[in-house]
Structures are given as structure tokens and as C-alpha cells.
Amino acid sequence: MPWDYPNPFIKQITVQPYDMDGLGHANNSVYIKWAELAAWGHSHLLGLSLADYQACDRAMAISKASYDYLLPCFSDEKINMATWLSACDGKLRLERRFQLMRDDKTLFRGHWITTCVRLSSGKIARMPKEFVEIYGGAVEHAD
């Protein structure tokens, strides 16, 4: 598939009837849920789970999100949500990209800018070394 970045983490999805909206295609909000599932799957693969976030008292919270809905998807279709880390400043910010594809067609693209926060207070805090090493080491650059 023509992915935007090399080495994607891919979450395979079968569109369900309950994903449909009144217009007969998957609702836009479902695309965002699929992006979140892919992000957590990628994070787990890299070695950072929710339990790790809690142990560090840190989390990467979405501070800005943008989405481009390009084509619809429909019930029972097999689609692939890919995600990558595209930037990490090693201090506070991490960027994540998404691309949803069916066959060789891009249906959706997303971009998150996340900011590290302390779970116990919700305030901005520096990334712990585990985040810098793991997330920073996984950044991919567009071809």
C-alpha cells in the first residue's frame, strides 16, 4: 500500500453495521476511535502501556488534532488504520500521524500534536526518560 511514512503500525478493521450513520457510511467519529485504537496498539508494541503511563505519572494528551475525511467506508469492508510518530522534541511534544486505507485508496488522514502532562495534576510536565527513549526512537520521516 502507498503509505505516507515508512514502517507503519497497522490496525486492521472490519467496519461494523453499528459504525454506520444516517447517511449510510461510517460516521466520522468512528474514524477518530479507530485512530485512538491504532495509537494505543502502537504504543503497546513500542513498550508503553496505560500501566506504564500510570507508573510514570505521565501521559501524552492530545493538544491539537486535525483530520481530513477523503472517502467514505461502508459496513463489512476491510480497512487498515496506520499510524506513525512523526516528531518528538524530547521534552514536551510528540506528533502522531494516521492514514486509513482500503486497498490502495486513502480514506482519511489525521495528525495529533500531543503534550506530556502529569496524570496526578493534569499540568504540563517534561516527558520521562522512558517516553523520550521509546517514542523518540520510533519517529519516522516521510519518504
Side-chain angles (χ1 to χ4, degrees):
M1 289 195 192
W3 297 113
D4 292 342
Y5 290 78
N7 305 311
F9 172 84
I10 299 170
K11 171 80 174 154
Q12 295 179 332
I13 298 161
T14 300
V15 182
Q16 300 298 313
Y18 54 78
D19 296 325
M20 300 300 100
D21 62 18
L23 301 176
H25 56 72
N27 188 278
N28 290 8
S29 65
V30 178
Y31 288 57
I32 298 168
K33 181 64 177 172
W34 295 333
E36 181 183 14
L37 291 171
W40 274 113
H42 186 220
S43 188
H44 280 254
L45 179 71
L46 293 173
L48 289 171
S49 67
L50 182 57
D52 296 313
Y53 275 34
Q54 292 165 336
C56 292
D57 190 31
R58 297 289 190 284
M60 298 308 299
I62 301 168
S63 53
K64 183 175 181 180
S66 63
Y67 305 108
D68 293 314
Y69 298 90
L70 305 170
L71 291 169
C73 56
F74 305 95
S75 189
D76 299 321
E77 286 186 324
K78 307 280 190 231
I79 56 177
N80 292 296
M81 178 67 81
T83 189
W84 307 262
L85 297 174
S86 58
C88 179
D89 70 4
K91 298 172 189 167
L92 298 173
R93 305 256 190 274
L94 179 68
E95 294 188 35
R96 182 177 284 283
R97 304 283 176 160
F98 300 93
Q99 184 180 5
L100 181 66
M101 293 192 73
R102 177 185 57 237
D103 302 321
D104 63 347
K105 296 197 180 345
T106 298
L107 311 177
F108 164 93
R109 283 190 175 93
H111 177 214
W112 290 353
I113 297 174
T114 62
T115 302
C116 190
V117 297
R118 188 178 309 277
L119 286 172
S120 57
S121 69
K123 294 184 178 180
I124 293 172
R126 282 185 73 94
M127 284 185 208
K129 67 178 175 62
E130 297 89 342
F131 285 27
V132 174
E133 291 169 4
I134 293 171
Y135 286 144
V139 169
E140 295 286 349
H141 301 281
D143 288 337

